[in-house]
Amino acid sequence: MSAGGFSAAAPEMALATLCVPFDTSVLRLPASGRAWFLRARADVRLRELAQPGWLCGQSFLPFADELARCGLRVGEPAGGETFPLVLLLPPRQRDEARALFARALDRLAPGGTLVASMAKAEGAKSGEADLARLAGTVGSLSKHHCRVFWTTPEPDAIDRALQDEWRALDAPRETADGWWSRPGLFAWDRVDRASALLAAHFPADLGGRVADLGAGYGYLATQLIARCPGIAALDLYEAEARALEPARRNVANALHAAGRDLPVDVHWHDVTRGLPQRYDAIVSNPPFHLGRADLPELGRAFITSAADALAASGRLLIVANRHLPYEALLAARFADVRQLAMQDGFKVIEARSPRA
């Protein structure tokens, strides 16, 4: 945690392994100096390898900001732009990874090479098999408990029907319970139990301008709309850009179901950097991990940002795993803190009247 916000360590071993084919001259960087790096992460090795013509794609705002602070260009390719080299750090979630393989091939120039790296414990074997199924012959190397694999596909070797199918896996979809979501988001195909517990304890008199921090696909926001008629305006803050469209759809459905015309804004925003305006109430199921690493300081950063943004009589409602040590910070930042529920390993806490 720093004044500038929160960032987690990059996946150093996967990045180091991604560099191995270039370090050993198995592969060569393109003479044009152009590449697109999907799900890029800032790292010493990336800064050593990257050239001015590289473009980094990253949908998680803290990581995107970190790349920009390192002097790397961040964004999406223009129009039909293609690259002689496309790099990828696939996620563990298989549908999301398959969609990324399809997108990567969309932007690969004829004769270009796609290179991906994954930890073996995160599904590297499956990722390599999927790329081979999609693009044909794949080369690979293992190091640092990771696997790097690549292809320079012939155009007629790519299974275009499968590519279309996999590309569509990233589109927002309705889950079995009727929520708009997409693979790879937190609890993407279900209602998270902790969030459901928090929503069950929303007080009916919650009103004024309200914010949902770390909104995900918008479940808590929909419950605020359904349960709290006194809300005058609602802001959703979410750092993962892929969650924004599902959140907008779910909120629109909730407004329609409730017959309400409520100002609602969905923001791509890093909550740990503070909030841009004041609120009468804030709700949150704050994240406490990135990947598999527990990072309770991330949840504490959400609490700090909430306390700083609440009006003098404002209140914060959060849910957390019962073991997370938030009480001391809450007591330091709020005049009145009480536990509303303890159930199934989760606790719901209400904090009122923030201290300066």
Side-chain angles (χ1 to χ4, degrees):
M1 173 60 54
S2 68
F6 177 86
S7 64
E12 294 179 359
M13 294 301 98
L15 277 168
T17 306
L18 187 73
C19 297
V20 169
F22 303 101
D23 293 340
T24 57
S25 299
V26 173
L27 298 175
R28 296 187 182 278
L29 293 174
S32 67
R34 298 180 63 254
W36 186 34
F37 191 173
L38 289 84
R39 297 186 83 247
R41 290 292 306 277
D43 177 81
V44 172
R45 286 297 285 122
L46 175 58
R47 293 197 295 273
E48 291 173 348
L49 194 68
Q51 299 179 8
W54 284 33
L55 178 66
C56 296
Q58 178 52 256
S59 61
F60 187 59
L61 186 56
F63 297 164
D65 286 344
E66 190 175 15
L67 288 162
R69 288 194 298 272
C70 291
L72 296 161
R73 191 162 59 100
V74 184
E76 290 293 311
E81 186 177 12
T82 60
F83 299 83
L85 175 64
V86 177
L87 305 171
L88 171 61
L89 295 176
R92 182 182 182 88
Q93 210 290 330
R94 198 167 189 180
D95 280 359
E96 183 186 1
R98 284 175 164 176
L100 284 165
F101 286 135
R103 285 185 62 209
L105 288 174
D106 284 337
R107 298 295 185 169
L108 190 65
T113 301
L114 166 59
V115 187
S117 178
M118 301 176 73
K120 292 180 179 178
E122 297 290 323
K125 185 176 180 180
S126 295
E128 182 178 347
D130 281 345
L131 183 58
R133 182 181 170 194
L134 183 62
T137 303
V138 171
S140 64
L141 292 169
S142 292
K143 196 168 185 178
H144 308 304
H145 303 289
C146 298
R147 196 159 183 85
V148 56
F149 44 96
W150 62 89
T151 182
T152 305
E154 296 293 335
D156 58 359
I158 298 173
D159 187 331
R160 298 298 179 182
L162 187 63
Q163 186 183 11
D164 291 343
E165 178 185 331
W166 284 5
R167 189 188 301 108
L169 293 174
D170 189 49
R173 67 177 79 168
E174 278 193 285
T175 68
D177 294 329
W179 301 102
W180 284 98
S181 187
R182 69 200 320 167
L185 301 182
F186 171 69
W188 79 272
D189 58 352
R190 65 190 186 280
V191 173
D192 172 62
R193 287 186 301 142
S195 294
L197 181 63
L198 176 57
H201 288 83
F202 284 162
D205 65 346
L206 203 68
R209 189 171 194 93
V210 180
D212 175 6
L213 309 188
Y217 65 74
Y219 170 76
L220 288 178
T222 68
Q223 300 308 294
L224 288 168
I225 292 167
R227 299 168 187 255
C228 305
I231 293 178
L234 179 59
D235 286 314
L236 287 69
Y237 292 96
E238 172 56 46
E240 176 51 65
R242 298 176 61 254
L244 303 184
E245 180 58 26
R248 292 188 184 101
R249 295 190 188 193
N250 288 322
V251 165
N253 288 345
L255 289 170
H256 178 77
R260 301 184 67 179
D261 184 14
L262 182 69
V264 178
D265 285 313
V266 180
H267 307 272
W268 190 39
H269 184 78
D270 179 1
V271 168
T272 70
R273 292 180 174 272
L275 302 177
Q277 55 190 311
R278 308 291 284 181
Y279 292 95
D280 299 296
I282 291 175
V283 304
S284 184
N285 178 0
F288 65 92
H289 57 78
L290 288 174
R292 294 185 172 186
D294 276 4
L295 296 169
E297 60 266 34
L298 184 54
R300 287 194 286 264
F302 271 54
I303 293 169
T304 297
S305 291
D308 290 343
L310 280 166
S313 59
R315 51 181 160 171
L316 169 66
L317 288 143
I318 67 167
V319 65
N321 286 44
R322 64 184 301 171
H323 73 277
L324 292 172
Y326 294 155
E327 282 77 5
L329 176 60
L330 288 164
R333 293 305 311 267
F334 292 88
D336 180 20
V337 179
R338 63 192 185 106
Q339 183 175 288
L340 302 182
M342 179 75 77
Q343 182 179 317
D344 299 328
F346 304 109
K347 55 190 174 186
V348 175
I349 300 173
E350 181 183 54
R352 293 176 176 256
S353 303
R355 307 179 195 270

